[in-house]
Amino acid sequence: MIWKNKFHERINELWERAKDRNYKLTQAEYSQRFGATRNALLGWLRGTGQPDADGFVRIASTENVRLSWLLGDDRVTAKQELLQDEVDFLTIYRSLTEEHKEDLLALARQFLSRDVGSYRAIDLHLNCYKTSSDDMQVHED
């Protein structure tokens, strides 16, 4: 099957996601994740260049996306593969402290059991966490 090469769109999407996670991230820092230069990244973002085969593999691996998706595959994901939202969630989960992972799992288990009354208790518990990062803001309704 031949796909329309959507690398230009996909690398822009990945760059936007990376900036959403860390607004201070520079293009030079982002390109270094893949062993590329800032100028190479600029070409990819503009659609005037592409990495070599190894570069595609490095980007897909580093960004936790399927290589086929990076190249433009829009087919429905097979059951054994993770959807992009699932990959994003897993990436976030892996970046948490062990204590926060336990809290997130407890919340998910309560959600699955439909124990709605407990959500408020967990919301209040999460408000106890104050991190040095400005990225995490938990507000009580």
Side-chain angles (χ1 to χ4, degrees):
M1 166 176 273
I2 298 175
W3 306 307
K4 178 182 176 193
N5 187 341
K6 293 186 176 180
F7 174 70
H8 165 255
E9 296 171 21
R10 301 293 166 88
I11 194 68
N12 274 284
E13 182 177 334
L14 294 172
W15 166 237
E16 291 301 320
R17 286 182 193 173
K19 286 193 310 185
D20 287 345
R21 287 190 300 266
N22 176 5
Y23 71 93
K24 293 181 180 180
L25 183 67
T26 66
Q27 289 174 334
E29 292 167 334
Y30 188 63
S31 64
Q32 287 174 357
R33 293 180 182 182
F34 317 123
T37 65
R38 179 180 175 271
N39 284 340
L41 176 65
L42 287 173
W44 303 344
L45 295 171
R46 292 180 184 138
T48 58
Q50 295 187 125
D52 60 14
D54 290 336
F56 282 121
V57 171
R58 274 193 308 274
I59 293 167
S61 175
T62 302
E63 291 296 314
N64 252 343
V65 297
R66 291 177 295 122
L67 181 58
S68 59
W69 176 85
L70 186 63
L71 297 175
D73 184 5
D74 288 325
R75 294 178 297 169
V76 176
T77 306
K79 286 186 180 181
Q80 70 270 18
E81 295 180 17
L82 295 175
L83 299 172
Q84 189 58 47
D85 286 344
E86 294 169 325
V87 170
D88 292 344
F89 189 80
L90 186 57
T91 302
I92 292 167
Y93 176 82
R94 288 177 176 166
S95 70
L96 297 174
T97 66
E98 289 303 315
E99 186 176 8
H100 288 132
K101 286 178 184 178
E102 291 171 16
D103 289 341
L104 182 58
L105 288 173
L107 179 61
R109 288 184 186 110
Q110 287 179 359
F111 178 78
L112 287 175
S113 69
R114 304 288 190 236
D115 188 3
V116 179
S118 299
Y119 294 151
R120 190 71 181 143
I122 287 187
D123 285 343
L124 294 173
H125 180 69
L126 289 175
N127 278 324
C128 295
Y129 292 111
K130 299 296 181 197
T131 65
S132 59
S133 169
D134 294 331
D135 296 336
M136 185 175 172
Q137 300 268 336
V138 180
H139 300 283
E140 190 174 346
D141 294 330

